Amino acid sequence: MTPRAPANLALPQPYLLFLGDITDAEYAKTAFGLRDWARERCVGEYACAGTTVTTGLPFLTPVEATAKGARALVIGVANEGGFIADAWMPALLSALEAGLDIISGMHTRLADIAPLKAGAAQNGRRLIDVRRPPPNIPIATGRKRSGKRLLTVGTDCAIGKKYTALALTRAFLARGIATHFRATGQTGIMIAGGGIPIDAVVADFAAGAAEILSPDAADDHWDVIEGQGSLFHPAYSGVSLALLHGSQPDVVVICHEPGRDHILGVPGYALPSVEEMIELVLRLGGRTNSAIRCGGVSLNTTELDETSADRLLAEESERLGLPVADPMRGGKRFETLIDHCLRQ
């Protein structure tokens, strides 16, 4: 029997986004992802004292959020190690007392934290962990599957792989192309309502998880698969390689942030160039799909004004001989990137 993609989750909505006590916006990617791609499901944000990061949504206490229809508090933090800080406990317990379930994408299981387990039981609320892979994941077979696949890969973590995959999915669908976004991380799963948290899968089965995430499909169907980590990351390269081999992409889109010069959170490790990334991903990806090709480059130009960004995109496209675009800016350059990805 051919394995099928995981079933969708039924998460209580709408959400109150919790930012913990963070002071670095790069660790709030879950909150920002939900704000940008599921805004209609977010009523506001909540945080501990001292937090300097904001999504720009209204600040609401759990009681206020419940009054506005919220059904769950989502931990919007994606910190290193995926832990739930002790300093968050009063805020999380107040959410349970206000009648909210708690949804988490952290490695630490909510029910393993005694105060939260007791608080949920006392208030009749649910503790929902989305970073929990399905049971009985097989090892990878390397068998070529029908259908088309695109994987976003990055020169680093938190660099735009999810946003690029979501933007490409939306663009493919707008052209009438049968397409599914395949989520591989906690934020993508919350946005899509299903997927596999690839970094929570036992290493020997990670490539197998990528295979069942994108099963056989019609020849004209596209799975756009959210990338994770980076092949150049000293800690997270393993999950990136498993995802690359298991998803067997026909097309890869390289994600990069100009101006970032070192691996996030790992001083002393320089960021690879786009050319190095293309060469490595095509060489390694060719192991399970000899026809793999690069569809183009997605640049995260958030820190640049429109004129500077457009000039850089043009220069990089000329230098690399590939379409280069910022999917969040859209426009003709992004349409050219889409054309190149879809080219037969």
Side-chain angles (χ1 to χ4, degrees):
M1 182 170 130
T2 301
R4 296 184 179 180
N8 284 350
L9 301 172
L11 298 176
Q13 304 166 5
Y15 307 135
L16 175 64
L17 304 181
F18 180 60
L19 294 167
D21 57 354
I22 61 171
T23 57
D24 189 336
E26 289 171 325
Y27 293 124
K29 64 180 185 179
T30 296
F32 286 123
L34 288 168
R35 179 202 65 184
D36 292 340
W37 296 96
R39 175 63 183 85
E40 72 285 357
R41 289 180 255 159
C42 305
V43 301
E45 70 177 31
Y46 181 50
C48 300
T51 304
T52 59
V53 176
T54 179
T55 63
L57 298 177
F59 186 95
L60 301 174
T61 66
V63 171
E64 292 169 336
T66 302
K68 289 184 175 293
R71 295 179 57 205
L73 177 141
V74 172
I75 296 178
V77 178
N79 55 24
E80 292 181 359
F83 67 93
I84 295 174
D86 291 341
W88 302 353
M89 284 303 110
L92 298 180
L93 289 171
S94 71
L96 294 171
E97 292 165 1
L100 297 175
D101 296 333
I102 298 179
I103 301 172
S104 171
M106 312 297 271
H107 281 300
T108 302
R109 300 289 172 84
L110 293 169
D112 290 342
I113 302 173
L116 292 181
K117 185 176 181 179
Q122 182 178 349
N123 293 281
R125 306 320 311 166
R126 290 184 293 166
L127 302 175
I128 304 169
D129 291 295
V130 301
R131 210 172 198 163
R132 184 171 295 192
N136 303 318
I137 295 174
I139 62 170
T141 66
R143 180 184 66 84
K144 178 63 178 171
R145 304 184 299 286
S146 58
K148 296 291 186 182
R149 288 164 188 82
L150 183 152
L151 175 68
T152 55
V153 297
T155 54
D156 196 6
C157 301
I159 208 161
K161 298 181 292 291
K162 174 175 63 270
Y163 276 50
T164 299
L166 285 163
L168 287 168
T169 300
R170 184 169 60 187
F172 283 17
L173 290 170
R175 293 191 180 196
I177 299 166
T179 311
H180 279 91
F181 168 69
R182 301 299 188 184
T184 61
Q186 69 270 27
T187 309
I189 290 170
M190 291 181 199
I191 294 169
I196 296 180
I198 204 76
D199 63 357
V201 177
V202 174
D204 279 358
F205 301 92
E211 288 187 354
I212 66 171
L213 182 69
S214 55
D216 284 299
D219 290 342
D220 60 351
H221 176 276
W222 282 84
D223 274 339
V224 178
I225 303 158
E226 174 193 10
Q228 293 295 326
S230 171
L231 291 170
F232 284 89
H233 199 291
Y236 305 136
S237 58
V239 69
S240 306
L241 182 59
L243 192 54
L244 176 62
H245 280 166
S247 63
Q248 299 178 340
D250 300 284
V251 176
V252 291
V253 172
I254 309 300
C255 303
H256 182 69
E257 182 179 3
R260 189 186 297 193
D261 59 3
H262 68 277
I263 298 291
L264 181 65
V266 191
Y269 282 85
L271 207 70
S273 68
V274 171
E275 296 95 321
E276 289 177 299
M277 190 76 244
I278 293 173
E279 189 278 330
L280 183 61
V281 73
L282 294 183
R283 178 156 51 90
L284 295 176
R287 181 62 175 171
T288 55
N289 186 350
S290 60
I292 187 174
R293 62 182 179 86
C294 180
V297 177
S298 170
L299 287 188
N300 181 346
T301 63
T302 305
E303 300 300 321
L304 301 177
D305 60 47
E306 186 173 352
T307 300
S308 299
D310 191 64
R311 181 169 58 248
L312 177 64
L313 295 172
E315 290 171 352
E316 287 297 281
S317 181
E318 176 70 20
R319 184 177 70 84
L320 296 168
L322 287 167
V324 178
D326 184 335
M328 301 310 292
R329 294 183 186 271
K332 184 177 180 180
R333 298 192 189 283
F334 185 48
E335 293 299 319
T336 301
L337 174 62
I338 297 166
D339 290 340
H340 199 255
C341 288
L342 294 173
R343 176 176 58 82
Q344 297 297 318

